[in-house]
Amino acid sequence: MQQTVYAETMGGLMAERVIRREEYSMQSRHIHGTYEAYFLLEGERYFFIGRETYRIHAGTVVLIKREQIHKTSMADKAYHDRILLQIEGEWMDSYLKAHGMPEMEECFSYLGGAMVPSDKEWDRLLEMLNRLREEMEGKQKWCELLIRQKMAEILVVLYRSKQQADMEIIRTQLKAEGWKYRKVSEIAAYLTEHCETGESLEEIAKRFYISKSYLTRIFREITGLTVREYVNAGRVRRAKNYLKNSKRSITEIADLTGFDSITYFERVFKRYADVSPLKYRNGERE
């Protein structure tokens, strides 16, 4: 059973609070062009981000950069209560820049991952999230300005929280225990760095001393993606960087990122980016 307490959209922000009492696990690939902030109010969850799996508890905040692979799944019990924010970077960047703050990409690169604020900071975050929801529901004059302000305040509290605590120790403590989580983390890290090599599933399984069938099962269970989908997502991220920051031809970029043909590259790119490589390049440069 799922209870949606609220779901509001205003400008470049979506805010949603959901309570789930039955088992829930993301099944499909979860990669999107917005930044995500996840606040766990009650319960425990497994959370895979990029290449690490965390076991998070109430009072944990998870920050996910845009186009970062992630998946949440059940820990011991199904029940959990969470607030989720989806934020469009361009919508916040002008406000942050005007107030001397780093833009969203820099903020989330610094804050990204799981973090546990102090009790005082957590209470303050909940208060600001409530004010955010009230403004989004009320839709009064100039509410979008106040919503951006509250979102910036949330980022400030999280910045200060990270500066005052050793988040690397906290993240180490939050990392999911168990052989399969460590193994998937190792494999994901390797695939992220070597996504263009085109190794077969058999070669990857052999490299990590496990069977092909076991690799297939645990990788999909923890990341929500097949090995091929994970590799292709990494290739598309690299291709986007080439398209934005170089004058290389699309054929050359397809070859550099490990695609066998320009046709396959364009098909995969469009699946993950929703536009063709050429349109992505032209749109970004405009």
Side-chain angles (χ1 to χ4, degrees):
M1 179 181 175
Q2 173 177 310
Q3 176 189 354
T4 300
V5 181
Y6 60 80
E8 299 289 340
T9 302
M10 172 62 69
L13 178 68
M14 186 281 292
E16 176 189 74
R17 181 178 176 184
V18 169
I19 300 171
R20 291 190 174 97
R21 295 177 173 83
E22 295 179 356
E23 182 177 351
Y24 169 78
S25 178
M26 292 178 183
Q27 299 300 322
S28 59
R29 64 182 178 89
H30 206 60
I31 312 165
H32 44 71
T34 54
Y35 298 92
E36 185 170 306
Y38 180 106
F39 303 80
L40 188 59
L41 308 182
E42 291 186 67
E44 289 191 2
R45 301 289 290 167
Y46 282 116
F47 218 121
F48 176 82
I49 314 167
R51 61 180 71 176
E52 295 288 352
T53 303
Y54 300 97
R55 180 167 179 154
I56 65 171
H57 52 75
T60 303
V61 183
V62 181
L63 283 299
I64 302 156
K65 295 189 293 184
R66 60 182 173 184
E67 297 180 5
Q68 188 170 35
I69 295 168
H70 58 287
K71 180 192 177 186
T72 176
S73 55
M74 188 179 78
D76 287 341
K77 296 181 180 179
Y79 177 83
H80 65 285
D81 181 358
R82 57 82 169 153
I83 293 173
L84 182 70
L85 305 180
Q86 296 274 5
I87 314 127
E88 293 180 9
E90 294 75 9
W91 178 77
M92 275 300 298
D93 281 345
S94 58
Y95 183 90
L96 295 174
K97 188 175 180 179
H99 291 80
M101 291 179 64
E103 293 185 352
M104 290 289 284
E105 186 66 23
E106 185 176 341
C107 284
F108 274 69
S109 294
Y110 178 70
L111 295 170
M115 58 191 301
V116 183
S118 68
D119 290 345
K120 183 178 180 180
E121 290 163 340
W122 180 251
D123 289 341
R124 189 174 177 192
L125 287 167
L126 294 183
E127 179 184 347
M128 288 187 286
L129 287 166
N130 189 50
R131 293 290 303 279
L132 195 70
R133 175 185 61 83
E134 289 174 352
E135 288 295 335
M136 294 179 80
E137 286 180 344
K139 296 180 173 60
Q140 297 184 46
K141 191 174 183 180
W142 298 317
C143 63
E144 197 167 336
L145 174 63
L146 293 179
I147 289 167
R148 281 196 180 102
Q149 179 186 339
K150 289 301 171 191
M151 191 66 241
E153 288 177 12
I154 288 169
L155 292 173
V156 169
V157 171
L158 294 173
Y159 250 91
R160 291 176 178 176
S161 178
K162 181 169 181 179
Q163 289 175 336
Q164 292 167 8
D166 193 332
M167 286 300 166
E168 292 310 311
I169 292 177
I170 291 173
R171 285 173 182 167
T172 299
Q173 293 170 343
L174 289 174
K175 282 184 182 178
E177 297 180 355
W179 186 88
K180 69 178 179 179
Y181 294 105
R182 292 194 297 272
K183 185 58 68 175
V184 168
S185 177
E186 292 172 12
I187 296 167
Y190 177 79
L191 295 177
T192 299
E193 297 301 323
H194 302 89
C195 61
E196 78 290 344
T197 59
E199 287 182 80
S200 68
L201 197 60
E202 291 84 354
E203 289 170 325
I204 296 167
K206 186 177 179 181
R207 178 181 292 278
F208 290 93
Y209 306 101
I210 57 177
S211 71
K212 175 183 170 182
S213 60
Y214 187 62
L215 165 61
T216 301
R217 181 169 64 82
I218 64 171
F219 199 87
R220 180 63 181 266
E221 174 191 342
I222 291 171
T223 69
L225 280 76
T226 66
V227 172
R228 179 176 291 277
E229 286 172 335
Y230 189 93
V231 168
N232 281 342
R235 289 172 170 175
V236 169
R237 282 197 300 272
R238 288 197 180 184
K240 285 181 175 180
N241 186 55
Y242 283 126
L243 289 165
K244 287 191 292 185
N245 301 308
S246 81
K247 295 183 179 180
R248 296 177 186 271
S249 71
I250 291 174
T251 301
E252 189 178 3
I253 291 171
D255 183 60
L256 284 169
T257 50
F259 288 95
D260 295 334
S261 70
I262 184 68
T263 303
Y264 182 52
F265 168 59
E266 289 179 338
R267 187 165 70 246
V268 171
F269 189 95
K270 190 169 185 179
R271 185 186 309 155
Y272 284 86
D274 295 324
V275 293
S276 69
L278 182 59
K279 287 183 177 179
Y280 183 85
R281 166 171 272 174
N282 290 341
E284 287 293 325
R285 298 207 167 176
E286 288 170 4

